[in-house]
Structures are given as C-alpha cells and as structure tokens.
C-alpha cells in the first residue's frame, strides 16, 4: 500500500496535496495478465500523455463513445463491448492487474471496439478527453470510502461531476451504480448541485437496474445476501 495523497508542486514551488480516490496497490500480475499486457497493449492500450485524444483517430470510426471509470477486472466492460459492436468503449483503471485481466478477457471475447488506459481517471479527464465527445460515462461500484473522515476521497465530488459533464455531449448520460446507500445519497446530492444535469429517473431518484449493465459475480453475491444496489442516471442538458 502506498500513497493515498500525493504531494505535488506548482510552478512557483507551492505544495499541493492531491486527494486521490484510490490507494495504489501494486498486486502481482499473473502470467496470463502479463502476457495479455505485452501482446494487446500496442493495439488496445492508450498511454497517458498530456495531449488531447481524437476518438476518430483512436477507433478509426465515429461511433458513440462509452467511457468507464474504474472497471476493476473488466468483466462487465468487456461484456458490454461485445454486446454493442456499434459503439466504442474506453476503460480507465489504475490497478495494473485489472487492466491485464481486462485485456485477457477482451482477447478471449474477440472484441475490437475497446481501448484501455492504466492511469488516474481524474488526470485523464483533465488532460486527455475532448470536450463534448462522450455519449456515456459509467462509474460502477466506485470505492465507497465508508468512514466519514474518508468521504473526501470519494471520486464523486462537485468538481468531478462538472468535469464529467463537460466531456459529455449534450444529451449524453452519466451512469453510476453503488451498493452503498450512503454513497448513493451523496451522489444524488452532488449531482443535484451540479448545473446542467437532469435526473433521468421516471419515478423517484433512482433508475431500475438497466439490462445493459452486466451482472457481475460481486453483484450476484450481493443480491443473494439481500444487499441493495442503486443505479443513478443523469443526462447533460446544456
Ligand atoms: C470497488 S472497485 C469496483 C470495480 C468494478 N467497477 C466493479 O464493479 O467490479 C473500484 C475500482 O476503481 C478503481 N479506481 C478508483 N479510483 C480510480 C481513479 N481515480 N482512476 C481509475 N480507477 C480508479 C480502483 O482501482 C478499483 O478497481
């Protein structure tokens, strides 16, 4: 376990303490993950650099782009990409073994409409994503940071919600899901405070579990144990 916060300096030498939404845990790569990373990264990996991406160049087409933050091992992302070949998918995850696992699954499924990045999604948003270029942003089961004193580490905060909105096309959708009720309430609070978003629920604050969000082992286990899951969708209105 290493940094939770990272100290950075501004150009004039001031110290900024950056609060991050993750703790970097450099778990070991399995042989399969290592092989998938070395073989598939050249075609499916996007390196972090401070240059704006051009989706047409990345995918070679103009299909709608769905971007997922924190895809874990990538099982649901790969399934979504396989089920929707008419869309382009991009996944961002900081945990290298997860990226390796995702590339393994992608190869096995034969998907070609998926690209992955191994970096802090916040920095990718800040530096690499063109404005008004995404059709959907997905954030499924983000780290809940249960303790109150850790709530500031939750990735969903007002500046984050506004940054996501700016990268969405008008009419684009920000879809979140969590199994932690207190985080669901926090998400709603943040999204209601962010201008130019509209809650898409027909009835109440939450949408029914969408069929196109694959049921992961983790969620299946939660269902068996009677845990709740809250799906939240907001659309960009202006
Ligand atoms: C609780 S896991 C959920 C994984 C997956 N979405 C799922 O539903 O199984 C949260 C994931 O988000 C990743 N994560 C947290 N903050 C991130 C960030 N700023 N950028 C990219 N990935 C992040 C973590 O490494 C972790 O894999």
């Amino acid at each position: 376990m290493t940094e939770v916060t990272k100290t950075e300096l501004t150009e004039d030498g001031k110290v900024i303490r950056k609060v991050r939404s993750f703790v970097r845990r450099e778990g070991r790569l399995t042989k399969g993950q290592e092989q998938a990373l070395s073989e598939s990264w050249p075609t499916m990996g996007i390196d972090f650099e401070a240059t704006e991406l051009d989706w047409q160049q990345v995918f070679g087409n103009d299909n709608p782009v769905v971007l997922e933050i924190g895809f874990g091992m990538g099982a649901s992302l790969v399934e979504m990409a396989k089920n929707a070949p008419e869309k382009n998918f991009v996944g961002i995850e900081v945990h290298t073994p997860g990226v390796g696992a995702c590339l393994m699954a992608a190869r096995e499924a034969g998907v070609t409409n998926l690209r992955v990045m191994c970096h802090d999604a916040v920095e990718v948003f800040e530096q690499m994503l063109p404005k008004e270029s995404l059709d959907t942003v997905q954030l499924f089961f983000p780290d809940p940071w249960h303790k109150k004193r850790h709530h500031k580490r939750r990735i969903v905060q007002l500046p984050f919600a506004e940054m996501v909105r700016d990268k969405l096309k008008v009419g684009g959708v920000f879809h979140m899901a969590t199994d932690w009720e207190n985080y669901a309430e926090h998400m709603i609070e943040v999204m209601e405070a962010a201008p130019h978003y509209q809650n898409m629920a027909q009835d109440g604050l939450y949408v029914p579990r969408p069929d196109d969000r694959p049921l992961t082992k983790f969620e299946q286990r939660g269902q068996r144990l009677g845990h709740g899951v809250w799906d939240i969708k907001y659309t960009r209105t202006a």
Side-chain angles (χ1 to χ4, degrees), residues 21-22 25 68-73 76 92-95 119-122 140-144 155 216 218:
S21 60
F22 57 90
R25 43 189 171 108
E68 182 162 332
I69 299 168
F71 57 73
M73 305 300 266
S76 73
I92 313 175
E93 170 57 60
V94 273
H95 189 49
H119 199 82
D120 180 353
V122 173
F140 298 155
F141 306 100
D143 297 301
I155 195 164
T216 59
F218 161 78

Side-chain angles (χ1 to χ4, degrees), residues 46-53 117 123 127-128:
I46 303 176
D47 288 307
F48 176 80
E49 50 183 322
T51 312
E52 201 166 271
L53 290 164
M117 301 196 64
E123 289 183 1
Q127 312 254 2
M128 296 184 75

Side-chain angles (χ1 to χ4, degrees), residues 50-61:
T51 312
E52 201 166 271
L53 290 164
D54 174 341
W55 297 126
Q56 159 72 42
Q57 234 170 41
V58 170
F59 290 100
N61 61 50

